Amino acid sequence: MPMSSDDTPLLNLDNARAEEQKALMKQIQADGVCPFCAEHFAKYHPKPVLKETEYWFFTENMAPYADTKHHFIFVYKPAHISMPSDMSPGAAADLFALVDWAISEYHIPGGAFFMRFGDTRYNGSSVQHLHTHLLMGDADNENHQPVRVKLG
Amino acid sequence: MRTDVVGDILRLPSQFPGIRELPHAAVYLLGCRTFDQFCSTLRALGDPRGFCPFCVTELTRRNRRPLAKATGWMLLENEYPHRNTSRMLLIVPERHVTTTSDLNPQDWTAIGYLFARAGVPSGGWMFRFGDPRMNVGTIPHLHINLVEPIPGKEYRPPFAKNTVEHKADYDRLNAHIAELGRRGGAGWLFSADGIRETEPSL
């Protein structure tokens, strides 16, 4: 299994949600790369990049949580990191300018933003490379189910 | 204003009217698991300047000390941690802001500093924004939740609930409201006894 420099796995299939996602992750594991690193992102991420800044790709999650009306991810571009404390100066401000843009662009009246960090064996993430989520449930759908995110 | 908000809550219908029909204050209160949390939150909603748990007046009154500080920001213990977590911390601005669009680059530097000071090796951080009917929010004052999970234990914070869960939360809210009524309503809620008996202790 491909590992990062600190011996934590680049991908964690145990935390994948959809069969399509797992199949893609197995292929990526065989290729031995990180799918979120900038040089590989376009090849492996099946959704188009909706907006790009110096520090982030903004795109849809390929396996959105069930019953979300919107589920976007922001993927860190400059390097392969797993901790927000390793971000370049300016990346955080850039991220939240992009978040504000996305909230306005997609008319998101309320939602949640979260980021997992560290070892995927402990945080519920399927990809170790730093990325964040912006999501909104579908409260207007009478039959929608709860949206609960795995953290741990 | 105090009595307006509290009065609105005390007059809520007994049957769940639907999440869209509830005032924002009631939506914030849906997430209160205990009576103490309900009372603290209702005081904060009724009188944010006096009782917002993250604003200086309430922090000073309760002698609640931050674990760390950075320019205009604090690292606090979460007073209502979930049992499936090892640690739950909060990164909170000293000023009463409710949206990230009010933040500036210096704020992000302070947040990064406090994140590093917290020393959580693996986990997640998250915040809710906007209309609480869409995100299960509990406090308007912006706060970033920093969570260290327990290895092997799953923690699943809710970011949206369905009607069944909302109804269950609403029943619990009605129980809190009934208890408040028995103790004396708004007058008791803001009295010295009411505050002392229901403020959280760490």
Side-chain angles (χ1 to χ4, degrees):
Chain A
M1 178 190 301
M3 310 291 268
S4 68
S5 58
D6 59 359
D7 286 336
T8 54
L10 292 174
L11 300 176
N12 192 326
L13 268 69
D14 290 340
N15 294 329
R17 291 179 298 284
E19 287 310 312
E20 179 194 350
Q21 184 188 19
K22 280 184 189 173
L24 178 58
M25 287 173 72
K26 283 179 183 169
Q27 178 198 326
I28 296 168
Q29 273 186 335
D31 292 347
V33 300
C34 169
F36 280 4
C37 282
E39 63 268 32
H40 304 302
F41 192 68
K43 178 180 178 184
Y44 291 108
H45 189 66
K47 298 281 189 174
V49 173
L50 300 170
K51 193 171 169 76
E52 185 176 346
T53 69
E54 181 181 351
Y55 297 103
W56 304 94
F57 293 117
F58 171 71
T59 180
E60 289 185 293
N61 191 311
M62 71 163 287
Y65 292 118
D67 295 284
T68 52
K69 192 165 182 180
H70 295 293
H71 186 173
F72 299 109
I73 57 171
F74 306 75
V75 180
Y76 188 71
K77 280 173 61 180
H80 180 90
I81 60 172
S82 65
M83 294 296 287
S85 45
D86 293 333
M87 293 193 301
S88 299
D94 186 51
L95 172 62
F96 287 94
L98 191 51
V99 168
D100 284 343
W101 171 85
I103 288 170
S104 172
E105 182 74 9
Y106 293 92
H107 309 292
I108 301 176
F113 174 93
F114 73 95
M115 176 194 281
R116 301 180 179 95
F117 57 86
D119 194 328
T120 62
R121 291 170 293 197
Y122 303 127
N123 66 20
S125 184
S126 56
V127 182
Q128 187 206 40
H129 187 116
L130 194 74
H131 60 286
T132 74
H133 301 253
L134 176 68
L135 58 85
M136 174 180 141
D138 197 1
D140 289 323
N141 177 352
E142 232 178 67
N143 300 314
H144 83 97
Q145 294 307 305
V147 177
R148 288 180 179 270
V149 167
K150 189 175 168 188
L151 259 180
Chain B
M1 184 195 173
R2 272 187 185 187
T3 48
D4 287 347
V5 172
V6 177
D8 287 345
I9 297 304
L10 294 178
R11 285 189 293 271
L12 284 174
S14 55
Q15 297 295 315
F16 179 57
I19 196 69
R20 284 287 195 188
E21 303 307 314
L22 288 177
H24 282 192
V27 177
Y28 284 122
L29 293 166
L30 285 177
C32 296
R33 297 191 290 275
T34 66
F35 180 66
D36 289 356
Q37 187 182 10
F38 162 78
C39 289
S40 298
T41 304
L42 184 51
R43 278 193 291 270
L45 293 168
D47 184 355
R49 196 178 287 274
F51 292 95
C52 171
F54 301 143
C55 284
V56 64
T57 305
E58 177 75 347
L59 289 169
T60 304
R61 189 185 64 75
R62 292 182 46 218
N63 196 28
R64 191 174 171 195
R65 294 174 195 266
L67 300 170
K69 292 186 83 169
T71 313
W73 287 76
M74 308 170 283
L75 180 67
L76 299 170
E77 295 255 19
N78 188 321
E79 295 180 306
Y80 306 101
H82 194 278
R83 62 178 178 275
N84 281 9
T85 61
S86 174
R87 270 195 296 171
M88 284 186 79
L89 303 170
L90 298 163
I91 299 176
V92 184
E94 290 176 347
R95 66 194 194 279
H96 189 92
V97 296
T98 59
T99 169
T100 56
S101 53
D102 290 334
L103 303 185
N104 56 53
Q106 290 72 33
D107 287 315
W108 296 111
T109 301
I111 291 169
Y113 172 79
L114 291 175
F115 174 86
R117 278 292 301 270
V120 176
S122 292
W125 63 274
M126 59 194 178
F127 63 86
R128 299 173 173 88
F129 63 87
D131 187 339
R133 292 172 293 190
M134 316 298 288
N135 63 24
V136 200
T138 56
I139 297 279
H141 188 131
L142 183 71
H143 55 285
I144 299 172
N145 295 276
L146 179 55
V147 180
E148 181 172 10
I150 297 172
K153 260 202 156 150
E154 205 170 89
Y155 169 56
R156 287 186 178 261
F159 290 135
K161 291 188 173 182
N162 65 3
T163 302
V164 171
E165 289 184 316
H166 281 310
K167 277 183 181 170
D169 289 345
Y170 194 77
D171 288 343
R172 182 178 61 197
L173 175 59
N174 270 328
H176 295 328
I177 292 170
E179 178 63 22
L180 178 60
R182 280 191 289 274
R183 296 200 191 199
W188 176 85
L189 181 69
F190 287 98
S191 70
D193 284 346
I195 291 167
R196 187 187 65 252
E197 288 174 32
T198 58
E199 67 183 17
S201 56
L202 278 176

